[in-house]
Amino acid sequence: MAENPGGQNLGPLRRLARTHKRDNALLAKLGYKSEFKRAFSPIHTIGFAFSIMGVCASVSTVFFFPLMTAGHLGMTFGWIIPSLFVICVVLSLAELTSAMPTSAGLYYFSAKLAPPEYAPLLSWITGWANVTGQILLVCSIEFVTAQMITIAISAGTDGRINLGPGPTFGIILACLFSHSIICASNSRILAKISLFTGFINVGTTISTAIALIVVPGSNRTPARDAFLLMENNTEWSNNPWAFVLSFTGAMWALTGYDAAAHISEEISDASRAAPLAMITSVVGTEVLGLFLFIGASFASSNITRIVNSPFSLPMGQVYLDTFGKKGMLAVWSLCIIVQWVNGITQGVDASRVTFAIARDNGLPGSRWWKQVHPYTKTPVYAVWLVMCIAAVIAVLVWSNTALSSLAGATVVSLYSSYAIPILLRITYGHKTFKHGPFNLGKWSRPIGVIAILWALFVSVVLLFPLNPHIKSSNDMNYAVVIVLGVFMLSSLSWILSARKWFRGPVPNITEDEVAKATALENDRDDQMMAGAHEKGSIESSSERVSESKEQ
């Protein structure tokens, strides 16, 4: 032992090396060579997936939607109902990710599950929808981060300083610049950041929820009203429809969980860790989010005052009324930190999708966006492309409906890209699909049907404005414009050019390299079987010797 002081670590290191060989062999079979460092362990992957939804920051952001549309009922059941359906979506995607863990993710699933003659087209549509949603989510996260910072400045100065759209846009650009540097960093750094922030996220959410219930004392909203009171503060006259619109908040918060699929080439034991992270992060976000919404509902005894708050995010007013100026700034600062890290994780997610599509030559300038930096082992150019496009979209900051427009367009784009591969999985691809370690078995089809119907439903609902009486361009929900604009652009690109050359996922690994990677994995399996057989033989011999002695 003295000659090998590090010997005690040899076992875990060997196991990790074998796991990475298995991951790389599976990736080779999917058609790609390993270009990233597998720096995300299963626990880091869960932290990453959890950070991308940032519970305390996300709920503080989307509180505006249930508050305006349905009041207390929207804060509780407006979160619970969408959460149940989102579980069906994430289960279906987790099954696909377990079988095909590659950064290409959704559009790769579509290509492999579609009829061969339609595979390129369906892959093209899925890829464009997904990358659009990912970049829009980056922009909306940065927009919210900027809003949180301006609210903190306003609260800290007792309303003397209120920054307008221009300074807010400047803050967005500063956030995008900082994230462009960090997102291009080594995967190991990104993994540690997301895991550390996960603890802050959970701790802040739980402590804030408890405080919102306890601190108001006798001024709390009565329990029955906190869960069931409907207050429609929109101009929609139909209360059930207004309640349905309250789903917008939950749907924006519960997006981006496919991030674990898009970083799967950086995950150790990806076929197991990625689906586990997706499911764990969604269920955890739903439970903690509901807890925080219940606390906010109890603390919101005066809905009218909160609706008329000068803050662009009304949750800031709830915190100020409940905790006072110092307490509000303390909680709000933690939310800003979580939201800023949320921008990092989403930037990584969007850049990996962009890289993967460019790797298959699916974007203009693909030869740049598919390059992996030799030192950081990350797609640096893809990161900068995502941040630049997000900066252009951020001009929506001058619209009064910027948040609802970005939220609507993000959800419609992402859930469209979720629905296509799930539909193909339960139809044409049902018989040919080879599941991974995680699979739904006989429940795959019924869960998939529910997931598809839900995706279609929310894709229609979120295109509607919160105010039906549009008086100017500032009141318009630009989600329709964004979604239709991207659809027209991708359709024209396909008709005029892409249909002639785009064939979906293109292998970037030779048959010899695939054979080599597979051989390494097969050798490992043979060694394990031989070891097990030898162990079984020894045990059998021992049993025979024992029997002889007894006789």
Side-chain angles (χ1 to χ4, degrees):
M1 293 296 292
E3 295 177 359
N4 184 19
Q8 65 272 22
N9 295 323
L10 203 56
L13 289 175
R14 281 179 175 171
R15 286 196 296 271
L16 185 62
R18 288 199 298 264
T19 300
H20 289 178
K21 286 181 180 179
R22 184 173 65 246
D23 290 328
N24 293 338
L26 177 55
L27 184 61
K29 291 177 183 178
L30 296 176
Y32 301 114
K33 60 184 178 181
S34 179
E35 299 181 78
F36 298 103
K37 292 180 179 178
R38 294 191 179 273
F40 285 84
S41 67
I43 188 64
H44 284 120
T45 308
I46 293 174
F48 182 89
F50 196 74
S51 293
I52 211 164
M53 287 181 280
V55 187
C56 61
S58 294
V59 170
S60 297
T61 298
V62 301
F63 177 73
F64 164 81
F65 294 105
L67 175 74
M68 292 295 297
T69 55
H72 297 284
L73 184 66
M75 298 176 205
T76 52
F77 286 92
W79 178 269
I80 294 173
I81 293 174
S83 294
L84 297 176
F85 288 101
V86 169
I87 289 176
C88 293
V89 181
V90 73
L91 285 173
S92 296
L93 293 182
E95 182 183 47
L96 293 173
T97 302
S98 181
M100 296 172 276
T102 167
S103 295
L106 299 161
Y107 90 95
Y108 185 94
F109 305 157
S110 294
K112 297 304 178 182
L113 297 171
E117 62 271 26
Y118 298 111
L121 174 59
L122 292 173
S123 179
W124 179 266
I125 294 171
T126 306
W128 273 83
N130 191 245
V131 76
T132 299
Q134 298 290 354
I135 295 175
L136 285 170
L137 188 53
V138 170
C139 184
S140 57
I141 288 171
E142 306 293 26
F143 174 71
V144 170
T145 305
Q147 280 192 314
M148 286 184 165
I149 292 173
T150 60
I151 290 172
I153 294 172
S154 177
T157 60
D158 297 321
R160 290 190 298 273
I161 299 177
N162 293 293
L163 301 179
T168 302
F169 182 70
I171 296 173
I172 292 174
L173 295 181
C175 290
L176 286 170
F177 179 75
S178 64
H179 289 152
S180 65
I181 296 174
I182 298 175
C183 290
S185 302
N186 186 285
S187 297
R188 189 175 290 106
I189 297 174
L190 299 173
K192 291 180 179 178
I193 291 175
S194 58
L195 182 61
F196 173 73
T197 311
F199 291 108
I200 297 178
N201 193 0
V202 173
T204 301
T205 303
I206 294 175
S207 58
T208 302
I210 294 174
L212 286 171
I213 296 173
V214 174
V215 173
S218 59
N219 292 324
R220 285 197 306 267
T221 304
R224 179 180 176 83
D225 289 349
F227 284 91
L228 300 174
L229 183 62
M230 169 75 185
E231 293 187 47
N232 182 357
N233 293 291
T234 70
E235 294 185 26
W236 291 97
S237 57
N238 188 305
N239 283 346
W241 174 247
F243 172 69
V244 169
L245 289 177
S246 72
F247 296 169
T248 302
M251 293 311 302
W252 184 82
L254 298 172
T255 52
Y257 43 80
D258 56 317
H262 299 307
I263 64 165
S264 57
E265 294 179 29
E266 301 165 69
I267 299 174
S268 178
D269 199 12
S271 60
R272 291 178 173 81
L276 174 64
M278 294 169 70
I279 297 169
T280 304
S281 63
V282 168
V283 173
T285 298
E286 290 176 347
V287 172
L288 291 175
L290 176 61
F291 190 30
L292 186 53
F293 261 122
I294 290 173
S297 186
F298 273 105
S300 302
S301 57
N302 190 339
I303 293 288
T304 303
R305 168 178 166 76
I306 299 171
V307 167
N308 295 321
S309 169
F311 296 153
S312 55
L313 300 176
M315 185 66 103
Q317 188 65 53
V318 175
Y319 292 155
L320 184 62
D321 292 344
T322 306
F323 306 135
K325 179 178 172 180
K326 291 183 178 179
M328 176 267 183
L329 289 175
V331 174
W332 205 246
S333 297
L334 291 173
C335 288
I336 291 173
I337 293 172
V338 170
Q339 188 69 5
W340 185 79
V341 175
N342 191 353
I344 295 174
T345 51
Q346 180 53 36
V348 171
D349 185 9
S351 66
R352 299 313 187 259
V353 175
T354 303
F355 157 82
I357 296 179
R359 182 171 57 183
D360 294 322
N361 303 315
L363 293 175
S366 289
R367 67 189 184 92
W368 291 99
W369 320 130
K370 66 182 178 181
Q371 292 186 27
V372 175
H373 195 278
Y375 177 72
T376 63
K377 295 295 182 181
T378 55
V380 176
Y381 291 137
V383 169
W384 280 91
L385 176 64
V386 166
M387 299 304 171
C388 288
I389 296 176
V392 174
I393 300 173
V395 296
L396 280 172
V397 71
W398 274 272
S399 169
N400 294 332
T401 59
L403 182 56
S404 58
S405 297
L406 288 169
T410 298
V411 173
V412 172
S413 298
L414 287 177
Y415 274 79
S416 297
S417 70
Y418 297 166
I420 295 173
I422 295 174
L423 176 62
L424 293 171
R425 161 70 180 91
I426 65 175
T427 53
Y428 181 84
H430 181 67
K431 293 183 178 179
T432 58
F433 178 73
K434 296 180 180 179
H435 63 74
F438 174 80
N439 73 94
L440 300 174
K442 64 179 182 179
W443 295 102
S444 180
R445 277 187 159 175
I447 290 175
V449 169
I450 295 172
I452 293 165
L453 293 176
W454 178 251
L456 292 173
F457 174 72
V458 296
S459 294
V460 173
V461 169
L462 269 67
L463 294 178
F464 282 84
L466 295 182
N467 183 357
H469 306 297
I470 301 175
K471 300 174 184 178
S472 68
S473 59
N474 285 335
D475 300 324
M476 179 178 173
N477 185 349
Y478 283 92
V480 178
V481 177
I482 296 171
V483 172
L484 287 180
V486 173
F487 177 77
M488 292 298 294
L489 177 61
S490 61
S491 298
L492 287 174
S493 299
W494 175 260
I495 294 171
L496 298 177
S497 176
R499 65 187 178 87
K500 302 174 184 178
W501 51 264
F502 184 73
R503 295 294 177 266
V506 179
N508 69 348
I509 189 171
T510 65
E511 292 183 4
D512 290 340
E513 289 174 319
V514 174
K516 182 178 179 181
T518 305
L520 288 172
E521 176 59 16
N522 290 338
D523 288 345
R524 186 190 71 85
D525 291 338
D526 290 342
Q527 291 171 6
M528 290 179 65
M529 291 179 66
H533 179 71
E534 182 180 354
K535 181 180 179 182
S537 299
I538 293 172
E539 291 176 349
S540 179
S541 299
S542 299
E543 290 175 359
R544 288 196 296 269
V545 170
S546 298
E547 291 175 359
S548 299
K549 288 182 177 180
E550 291 175 359
Q551 292 174 357

